[in-house]
Amino acid sequence: RWRHLGMRLPVRHSAVGGLVQRMRSTSTTTIGVAATDAKTALKATLNLPQTTLPMRATPSVTEPPMCSHLSRGVYAWQRNNRANAPLFVLHDGPPYANGELHMGHLLNKVLKDIVNRHKLLRGHRVEFVPGW
């Protein structure tokens, strides 16, 4: 039944209708076996993706090697593979020169990172020079 409308769902026209009808018609003595068979049969009809990813994330284990690879690996890769590419250098200004930290500092760093990544994806050799 569609509880909120008070209407009955036309089960016999759906792909799972026969399975639901069989589940309703089983006797109470075999309901445990029939329910298990019904779950297995219903599970076989699902088209779920197969993945090799672990079911649990362990960031304390996976993050440190990934961060070191992403921060140092890109520049080493550029030196090896993009020696003749056009050079793009972005000089970052002094860190937090105008008072206390605020959202403008975050916006500044994010925009500079976006520009560097854009140039990297466009085939440039990117160098980011932080500091003064």
Side-chain angles (χ1 to χ4, degrees):
R1 290 186 170 257
W2 291 1
R3 290 182 181 90
H4 64 285
L5 298 177
M7 298 173 64
R8 188 175 184 108
L9 180 65
V11 176
R12 65 180 168 267
H13 298 295
S14 68
V16 188
L19 181 63
V20 173
Q21 290 293 343
R22 276 185 268 134
M23 286 176 62
R24 287 183 184 160
S25 66
T26 55
S27 65
T28 56
T29 58
T30 61
I31 192 69
V33 174
T36 306
D37 293 341
K39 283 183 180 179
T40 305
L42 186 60
K43 191 175 184 179
T45 64
L46 297 176
N47 187 15
L48 297 175
Q50 300 297 319
T51 180
T52 59
L53 296 174
M55 297 313 279
R56 291 206 168 147
T58 52
S60 61
V61 175
T62 58
E63 290 285 328
M66 189 182 307
C67 288
S68 67
H69 169 72
L70 292 176
S71 63
R72 294 182 190 94
V74 172
Y75 293 108
W77 178 83
Q78 288 185 95
R79 278 192 301 274
N80 296 334
N81 296 327
R82 291 192 180 170
N84 297 327
L87 180 64
F88 177 77
V89 179
L90 181 67
H91 292 276
D92 193 7
Y96 320 117
N98 54 352
E100 297 292 322
L101 285 174
H102 53 82
M103 291 305 292
H105 292 110
L106 174 69
L107 179 64
N108 178 26
K109 298 295 182 188
V110 168
L111 290 175
K112 288 177 182 177
D113 187 51
I114 289 172
V115 169
N116 279 336
R117 289 173 190 260
H118 172 73
K119 290 294 187 176
L120 182 67
L121 291 174
R122 290 291 176 194
H124 289 78
R125 190 170 35 119
V126 175
E127 288 187 22
F128 179 70
V129 181
W132 294 86

